[in-house]
Amino acid sequence: MDFSSSRILAQGVFVLLVLSSVAEGTEPRTILVGDSEGWRAGTNYTQWAIQNSPFHINDTLVFKYPPPGNSTVTQSVYLLPDLWSYITCEFRGAKVLGNASEGRDEGFKVALTELKSYYFASAEGNSYDCLAGLTKFTAVPSS
Ligand SMILES: *[C@@H]1O[C@H](CO)[C@@H](O)[C@H](O)[C@H]1NC(C)=O
Ligand SMILES: *[C@@H]1O[C@H](CO)[C@@H](O)[C@H](O)[C@H]1NC(C)=O
Ligand SMILES: *[C@@H]1O[C@H](CO)[C@@H](O)[C@H](O)[C@H]1NC(C)=O
Ligand SMILES: *[C@@H]1O[C@H](CO)[C@@H](O)[C@H](O)[C@H]1NC(C)=O
């Protein structure tokens, strides 16, 4: 490839990058937490959150998990009020976003409507997973 065609190619790549970042900024996404695996006990969601970042205002997270039964660990989703409660898994001031049965079928949606840190965690098993750093993540939408 000669110099001028590689320069044209580089410009084309640049234009694509700009277009995709513009599209990302204007089009809210609907994102399934944990992809096809959904919201599961004993799972590290930090990597998932990094891969799906950046989150943007008005993006919607979908939490899906099976209802209580014999074969699965009961699951739930809480929104913790701050970083400290997230780290220490102090659920007393937390808000239940989805109880054990609300993740069934299509799950439930949480819209990231504010420019703030959203701290999500499961409280099941006496917060065992949360304390182990699992089945929790932080989403910080940007504008
Ligand atoms: C987010 O959605 C609300 C309600 O639909 C809308 O008023 C607001 O402009 C949106 N914000 C952004 C940054 O798109
Ligand atoms: C759980 O297992 C018991 C005994 O195997 C069975 O009778 C019951 O229907 C099961 N419950 C659910 C919710 O699957
Ligand atoms: C979960 O919440 C729904 C709707 O508020 C309620 O009908 C249901 O009884 C709750 N289930 C559990 C297991 O707490
Ligand atoms: C979860 O994954 C993140 C990112 O890979 C890593 O930094 C962290 O140590 C992991 N946490 C646990 C409890 O394995």
Side-chain angles (χ1 to χ4, degrees):
M1 185 157 44
D2 64 39
F3 175 72
S4 65
S5 62
S6 69
R7 201 174 62 177
I8 288 166
L9 184 65
Q11 282 172 352
V13 169
F14 177 71
V15 167
L16 276 178
L17 286 174
V18 169
L19 285 177
S20 68
S21 67
V22 166
E24 222 173 50
T26 52
E27 234 10 89
R29 297 179 296 165
T30 297
I31 312 162
L32 184 58
V33 176
D35 305 317
S36 58
E37 299 287 303
W39 183 244
R40 285 153 47 110
T43 305
N44 188 342
Y45 285 89
T46 302
Q47 193 60 42
W48 176 87
I50 291 168
Q51 275 162 3
N52 285 274
S53 289
F55 297 100
H56 289 100
I57 199 88
N58 288 346
D59 280 352
T60 298
L61 300 181
V62 181
F63 289 88
K64 271 168 109 165
Y65 45 88
N70 290 345
S71 58
T72 53
V73 178
T74 312
Q75 208 47 276
S76 62
V77 183
Y78 282 76
L79 185 68
L80 291 157
D82 51 36
L83 179 61
W84 184 245
S85 57
Y86 176 78
I87 291 170
T88 59
C89 302
E90 173 51 72
F91 286 89
R92 260 177 294 185
K95 185 181 164 198
V96 188
L97 297 178
N99 69 22
S101 54
E102 287 174 302
R104 67 152 60 99
D105 303 329
E106 294 313 303
F108 64 91
K109 294 177 175 173
V110 179
L112 306 177
T113 56
E114 291 174 60
L115 291 174
K116 64 169 194 180
S117 299
Y118 286 80
Y119 302 103
F120 299 103
S122 165
E124 298 310 312
N126 288 323
S127 319
Y128 178 85
D129 279 344
C130 181
L131 290 166
L134 303 171
T135 314
K136 68 197 289 191
F137 68 96
T138 307
V140 188
S142 55
S143 51

